[in-house]
Amino acid sequence: MELVLPNQVNPELLPMIRQGLISPEKLAILVDLAEIVDRFSTTLFTEVEVQEKLKEQFGVLPDIITWGDYFQTEVASRYFLETEESLRKIVDTIRFDLISAHLIFAGKPEYYKNNVRSEALVSKGIDTVLWKNEEEESIHLEILLDYFENLGLGNRPLSLQDKVWYEAFNIKEVAV
């Protein structure tokens, strides 16, 4: 099944919109987020077989089908109280992480990925109060690996546009 890039808001967000919890500006940012994530992902959040079973059982497809759907609804639900500027930073961070995941893990052997998982497992065994930068980094690296594998990030090359954006983002963040 080919991924369909959403150009609208996921229906799951309609109650929040009706309640005035999401402004038109935030809505535009959330639409951008879904489009960004779906541009990177090569897999579906809800597999076709699962979609078919749910449609058979309930008569409708689920609202959360693509990874863009998932990220859009998750970010909207968690961060609807944030300002537009803060929400844009969150979306930029997600984009940065998706590109980073691709750059870090594309072409890496399985033993490298297993090492990342092992180090994260050790870090998770340490009380968070005692975490140092190494533990935080190992947990974050595992999150990036999860993105890479679950979203199928290595199955499509990075676009020139994303590479340029990433380099500019990196420079901008270092300069601040």
Side-chain angles (χ1 to χ4, degrees), residues 22-173:
I22 301 175
S23 69
E25 294 81 11
K26 288 180 182 179
L27 212 47
I29 294 168
L30 293 167
V31 168
D32 285 348
L33 172 61
E35 290 173 352
I36 288 166
V37 172
D38 282 335
R39 187 175 72 238
F40 282 96
S41 66
T42 62
T43 63
L44 294 171
F45 180 80
T46 306
E47 296 175 9
V48 175
E49 300 80 29
V50 174
Q51 291 178 47
E52 291 170 357
K53 286 179 184 175
L54 290 170
K55 184 170 183 174
E56 188 177 298
Q57 186 175 3
F58 299 107
V60 294
L61 288 172
D63 288 331
I64 312 279
I65 292 177
T66 70
W67 282 101
D69 295 336
Y70 171 79
F71 274 82
Q72 184 184 69
T73 56
E74 186 71 14
V75 168
S77 299
R78 286 184 186 213
Y79 302 110
F80 66 91
L81 293 176
E82 297 290 333
T83 64
E84 285 87 5
E85 180 182 345
S86 181
L87 192 61
R88 175 53 66 193
K89 286 181 182 179
I90 291 165
V91 170
D92 284 347
T93 301
I94 292 168
R95 183 179 181 187
F96 184 85
D97 279 355
L98 293 175
I99 296 170
S100 295
H102 190 286
L103 293 172
I104 292 167
F105 294 108
K108 291 293 191 300
E110 200 58 36
Y111 73 83
Y112 177 80
K113 296 173 189 174
N114 288 336
N115 189 51
V116 167
R117 289 183 191 95
S118 296
E119 288 180 15
L121 188 60
V122 169
S123 294
K124 290 176 184 175
I126 299 171
D127 189 329
T128 56
V129 175
L130 303 174
W131 278 4
K132 297 177 183 153
N133 283 342
E134 294 82 18
E135 286 80 20
E136 290 180 18
E137 288 174 11
S138 72
I139 298 294
H140 188 243
L141 200 55
E142 183 186 41
I143 291 168
L144 296 180
L145 177 57
D146 287 345
Y147 285 170
F148 181 80
E149 293 180 334
N150 293 330
L151 279 71
L153 298 181
N155 298 330
R156 181 180 296 143
L158 288 175
S159 70
L160 181 58
Q161 168 195 1
D162 287 317
K163 289 178 185 178
V164 169
W165 180 90
Y166 184 82
E167 292 302 321
F169 187 90
N170 245 342
I171 293 168
K172 179 173 56 175
E173 291 303 306

